[in-house]
Amino acid sequence: MRECREWIIGKEESGQRVDKFLSEAVAEFSRERLKEIFEEGNVMVDGKPTKPSLRLKSGDAVSALLPETEILRVEAQDIPLHIVYQDQDIAIIDKAQGMVVHPAPGASDGTMVNALMYHMDHLSAINGVIRPGIVHRIDKDTSGLLVVAKNDIAHRKLAAQFAEHSITRAYSTVVHGVLPNQKGTVDAPIGRDPHNRKAMAVTERNSKRAVTHYSVIAKYQEYTHLDVRLETGRTHQIRVHMKYIGHPVIGDPLYGRNTELDRGFDGQLLHAYLLGFRHPSSGEYIEFRSELPQYFYRLIAKS
């Protein structure tokens, strides 16, 4: 038994590859399974089977004949959650390192979403049952601040701010080596790494512009403590850009150097310490800060 799903492409999706569009539209299927669905001829644009690389245009009708999948049931779990602030529209969460933001097939519990469902009565439904309330994400081993939407109106208004890059986001990180300048900007496009599908890379192929600004907090003999500001929000952006300029984030299991120093940490030294935006109801600009985790100080105190 197969299910046919259909979408009409809007202006925001125009220019996107059809495989990228579907990977987000049907999150319950892995990339490998979607590849098989394309090969079977079960993805069509305007009624004709299409290749994964096709660039979509506004007004295109996309349809996919999808196999039945096991319904992912996400249960509320009594998991400790650091709630910095909340009101009827939003909640600010200070996520611990090692916590996954939302469930995925094969990993339906122990995530921030499971905890949110236990601690909160209402969450926006725009992203479906797997990602209720989730407006944006940070990596599993990145700690720090996220905003969660408690209703659909708040979700749309927050998502619009992310789309127009008006959200203030700053990170603290420690990278290998000593940077020669006190501040700088990395303006380099990021896309899927052609040699490793689990990683991202600076590439001109199927990529999007990515801009990262950094300034030095302190320089040490073997590493540098940085304040990093995002102008865009690409997957793994800071980690990829720091590797690109030859100063990967310490502890990064995917983009790091795997030295003895890296292996002394459970994940990358990257903390989202600042988050600011216009409140979806009042329109007032609000800002939140998070203290550095202790594992940062363990490293800095050695110098």
Side-chain angles (χ1 to χ4, degrees):
M1 182 79 66
R2 287 180 177 260
E3 171 194 6
C4 183
R5 299 194 205 175
E6 300 177 335
W7 303 266
I8 301 297
I9 300 303
K11 291 182 180 179
E12 291 185 357
E13 295 91 9
S14 182
Q16 193 174 45
R17 283 174 54 122
V18 64
D19 58 349
K20 177 70 162 54
F21 170 79
L22 277 182
S23 71
E24 297 176 355
V26 287
E28 64 268 34
F29 290 93
S30 68
R31 289 181 180 273
E32 287 302 313
R33 189 66 185 97
L34 281 175
K35 182 180 178 181
E36 293 173 357
I37 294 169
F38 273 100
E39 292 172 349
E40 293 163 357
N42 286 324
V43 179
M44 289 164 282
V45 175
D46 294 334
K48 298 179 180 179
T50 185
K51 295 181 179 179
S53 59
L54 178 76
R55 296 282 177 178
L56 295 168
K57 304 186 299 295
S58 181
D60 280 349
V62 178
S63 60
L65 199 58
L66 302 171
E68 284 187 329
T69 60
E70 179 183 353
I71 297 175
L72 182 60
R73 302 188 185 279
V74 184
E75 303 291 341
Q77 291 180 299
D78 185 4
I79 300 170
L81 195 62
H82 185 186
I83 302 171
V84 175
Y85 168 87
Q86 66 174 317
D87 57 30
Q88 63 183 4
D89 296 307
I90 63 170
I92 304 297
I93 309 299
D94 196 345
K95 187 186 81 68
Q97 185 183 55
M99 175 178 273
V100 176
V101 170
H102 63 75
S108 61
D109 60 10
T111 74
M112 193 180 85
V113 161
N114 297 101
L116 286 171
M117 292 175 65
Y118 179 87
H119 292 284
M120 298 181 186
D121 294 330
H122 301 285
L123 294 167
S124 72
I126 286 177
N127 276 336
V129 296
I130 296 178
R131 293 177 285 184
I134 301 302
V135 183
H136 65 122
R137 292 172 287 178
I138 56 178
D139 301 332
K140 172 188 174 184
D141 290 326
T142 297
S143 55
L145 299 172
L146 298 99
V147 59
V148 170
K150 289 189 170 184
N151 57 68
D152 290 358
I153 294 174
H155 192 131
R156 291 189 183 96
K157 290 184 177 180
L158 290 168
Q161 293 183 61
F162 276 98
E164 64 192 21
H165 308 305
S166 63
I167 301 281
T168 301
R169 286 177 292 170
Y171 293 73
S172 190
T173 187
V174 184
V175 301
H176 281 281
V178 180
L179 276 74
N181 302 317
Q182 282 299 114
K183 58 178 58 179
T185 295
V186 185
D187 186 344
I190 290 176
R192 186 68 56 183
D193 187 335
H195 306 294
N196 181 358
R197 297 299 297 172
K198 294 183 179 181
M200 309 299 287
V202 169
T203 176
E204 296 292 336
R205 182 180 178 185
N206 298 324
S207 59
K208 292 184 179 180
R209 187 181 183 219
V211 182
T212 303
H213 306 284
Y214 64 86
S215 58
V216 172
I217 297 173
K219 295 182 181 181
Y220 301 95
Q221 186 173 353
E222 297 180 358
Y223 42 84
T224 306
H225 188 188
L226 297 177
D227 182 288
V228 182
R229 308 277 171 139
L230 291 179
E231 187 173 319
T232 56
R234 309 305 175 207
T235 301
H236 300 172
Q237 179 172 318
I238 294 172
R239 300 164 64 191
V240 172
H241 273 173
M242 291 300 103
K243 177 185 178 181
Y244 177 67
I245 64 172
H247 296 277
V249 176
I250 289 176
D252 192 326
L254 187 57
Y255 304 103
R257 292 180 176 173
N258 194 29
T259 65
E260 183 177 347
L261 179 60
D262 293 289
R263 292 190 290 272
F265 297 93
D266 294 328
Q268 60 269 6
L269 269 71
L270 185 58
H271 180 69
Y273 79 88
L274 177 66
L275 181 64
F277 53 89
R278 299 186 308 276
H279 192 281
S281 288
S282 70
E284 177 186 1
Y285 179 79
I286 53 178
E287 196 170 87
F288 302 89
R289 290 176 178 264
S290 168
E291 292 292 327
L292 277 181
Q294 284 302 310
Y295 54 85
F296 271 76
Y297 293 111
R298 288 205 318 269
L299 176 62
I300 294 170
K302 294 178 181 179
S303 301

